Amino acid sequence: MNDTTVTLVGNVATAVEYRDTVAGSVARFRFAVTARRWDRERAAWTDGATSFYTVSAWRALGANLAASVSVGEPLVVHGRLKVREDERDGQRKTFVDIDAVAVGHDLTRGTSAFRRTVRTEPGAGAQAPPGADDADLTDREASPGLVPADGKDPWTAATHRLVTAP
């Protein structure tokens, strides 16, 4: 299939709305992308026009997005571009949507602490990583929600030290 894929860098403009639908769970939010240009005359960065996109993320990506993202946060969104036209109030309008394939925080503007989620898909048995014993797998399967891969999260402490350092 010849989909147009794009990668956008911008900010979350609206709260993430998470719903269960007949087709599966989905998270949606508006995403603002503002072009920045170097103005040689003023020797400073200036903001250009802002474009807004509706981002949809399905299934596990949508659930993780809803649990991880707030208004104003900088993100990198990668997905399939969808352009549609609609008539509203007697005027034709163009809407640009992104079906997200991957979403992450923009680490050029801050830090983030990643935590793996435990897969709870029906019929998808948990796979042990190489070198893991059965006891490790059982512990992870029994833990709901967000769990670091080895049960410890060294990044939380390191990030805390980095952010709170004098």
Side-chain angles (χ1 to χ4, degrees), residues 43-89:
W45 288 98
T46 59
D47 288 340
T50 300
S51 298
F52 288 91
Y53 303 87
T54 299
V55 177
S56 298
W58 295 87
R59 295 173 284 288
L61 177 58
N64 292 342
L65 191 92
S68 304
V69 171
S70 300
V71 173
E73 292 183 348
L75 297 181
V76 178
V77 174
H78 180 75
R80 291 179 293 278
L81 180 69
K82 308 282 184 184
V83 179
R84 60 189 169 85
E85 290 187 12
D86 197 2
E87 191 166 325
R88 292 191 182 174
D89 301 327

Side-chain angles (χ1 to χ4, degrees), residues 118-129 137-138 140-141:
V118 176
R119 290 185 181 221
T120 58
E121 297 174 20
Q127 300 275 331
L137 183 60
T138 305
R140 277 196 306 267
E141 286 175 335

